[in-house]
Amino acid sequence: MPHLKRMTSLSVTPHVPGAPSPRAPRGRRLRVPAAVLAAAGLLVLTACSSGGDGSRPSASASASDAAVSGNASGGAAASPSPDLSRYYDQKLSWHDCGVAGFDCATMKVPLDYAHPSGSDDLKLAVARKKAAGPGKKLGSLLVNPGGPGGSAIDYLQYAALGYPAPVTARYDMVAVDPRGVARSAPVGCLSDKQMDAYTAVDTTPDDSAEIKALDTADKSFAAACEKKSAKLLGHVSTVDSARDMDVLRALLGDDRLNYVGKSYGTFLGATYAGLFPKRVGRMVLDGAMDPSVSALEGSRAQAGGFEVAFGAFAKDCVKRADCPLGSSSVADAGSRLDALFKKLDAHPLPTGGARKLTEALGTTGVIAAMYDQGAWPSLRDALTSANKGDGGPLLKLSDSYYERDESGKYSNLMYANAAVNCLDLPPALRSPADVERALPSFDKASPHFGTALAWSSLVCAYWPVHSTGQAHRITAPGAAPILVVGTTRDPATPYAWAVSLASQLSSGHLLTYVGDGHTAYARGSDCIDTAVNAYLLRGRVPGEGKRCG
């Protein structure tokens, strides 16, 4: 799975300044930026409490059944299950979020499912937009945009208003910020000024002093997370969040979980299916992750994904007379990008503010635009400005990746990202010496980004909590049909991962989008939307080998 570190391959699409809105036919971005939702009022989510007028859990979701302690492949319980009835018996108290049609609530879950204690309960933020269209209602559709660390509630406003109308007419659209994320007991680590410094540290060290500086920065990051969030860090795994989703399913009154997960959200959904296969309803896993690959394999594969995405960008760019990377060939464009990174390494560019554009920040800016071809014009403009000595536009792209707003405030996306990843899998690499040994394979996978991505894989080596998960296949025997969607030139979740996940799942079905960008549903392809809608509305899976382009 992706690991944090400055410009690491995050599995949620950043919003790039200047990119088309999510409703544009080819906008292909995932998340509405927090600033937009705050202005609209949806982010006013305070003083929520349990108790009230919510639905009772369904009979099939009894606490004794739900308190399984098997693995994510649906293994049998290894020990007596704790009593979780007080969580499954709670009621959701819905109130107006401040945006017409949206309701908000909070739900309680145990910090530790193995040892639930009321004194340690976490409060998770939940939001919904009820179905209001014609046709028989189909229950709730839970959505998650990925990350890990992406806010599902931020994403909900786009999903509820931007998903195809036949789907939103018949499903209550629902989201919960996962534990450790945004409004749900968020993980905290660095101050905003410290994060500015951390993201600018050189990720392509040239000598022992630069290696030491990078290593020290990772150690300091991990220590800061422990200082601010020690109690929480051992309890934010994907398995924990999947169990939370089952509690929410019951509180919504649904016998089965209907779900659309994007990017990392596919791993969350697959984990749920492995734990609760008989409770899977209609589940779409779009931009799939492969749970059977190790952290090292995943980081290297994602490096290759970004290389493929850059190749597609460069191929488009060199056809244009004003391409900032030249107009002769893709290879020449790559050489010019390397030359720019080298210049930034030696002489960071001014940006019109206090910060300068370092090589690390410039690389992050390019990476951010690889998630969404709708951002390619912004990247061309930013590279043109950089060639003229102005690093401001490329810094804005980098800031969009880290969810840093214009006031200098960061969301907790990157802190939650590290906390979940470092708990889910053992570290990809454990020391600078490990990185140096891995560099040839990373550089082979990605000549332009491989070195930076390899050095970006160290933070979990210093994490204060040992990982609790391992790479494993998820089969979910007995689950209803699950639809896996893969994009052939996806930069963050390589298409091969979708193929693998669909083959692992006992009831998996693969739908392919031949194109660019990260994820495919509700992002401009009529063919993809038609196939997914048929599944969500009628339970009809696409025919074997179905491809859209």
Side-chain angles (χ1 to χ4, degrees), residues 276-297:
F276 309 103
K278 298 298 179 64
R279 295 179 195 165
V280 171
R282 294 172 186 173
M283 179 173 283
V284 178
L285 306 179
D286 182 12
M289 298 186 67
D290 182 351
S292 71
V293 303
S294 69
L296 178 59
E297 294 169 327

Side-chain angles (χ1 to χ4, degrees), residues 123-146:
K123 290 184 178 181
L124 307 186
V126 183
R128 74 177 179 189
K129 187 177 189 298
K130 298 191 74 172
K136 180 182 178 181
K137 301 303 180 283
L138 297 174
S140 305
L141 182 64
L142 194 66
V143 296
N144 183 282

Side-chain angles (χ1 to χ4, degrees), residues 377-392:
S378 295
L379 178 57
R380 290 195 301 270
D381 291 345
L383 291 172
T384 297
S385 294
N387 288 341
K388 296 177 180 179
D390 178 10

Side-chain angles (χ1 to χ4, degrees), residues 241-277:
S241 290
R243 294 183 186 280
D244 295 341
M245 290 203 307
D246 194 60
V247 174
L248 179 57
R249 172 201 60 78
L251 301 184
L252 294 170
D254 293 331
D255 291 333
R256 296 190 176 194
L257 178 75
N258 302 309
Y259 177 80
V260 174
K262 299 267 187 170
S263 198
Y264 159 81
T266 66
F267 179 61
L268 178 58
T271 298
Y272 180 92
L275 289 168
F276 309 103

Side-chain angles (χ1 to χ4, degrees), residues 4-6 190 194-195 197-203 209-225 455 458-459 462-463:
L4 165 86
K5 182 75 160 39
R6 302 178 251 302
L190 302 177
Q194 289 171 330
M195 190 65 176
Y198 182 73
T199 59
V201 173
D202 191 351
T203 52
E210 290 185 350
I211 290 174
K212 183 177 180 180
L214 187 154
D215 200 43
T216 298
D218 280 338
K219 290 176 179 177
S220 298
F221 182 96
C225 296
W455 281 109
L458 267 181
V459 70
Y462 309 120
W463 205 244

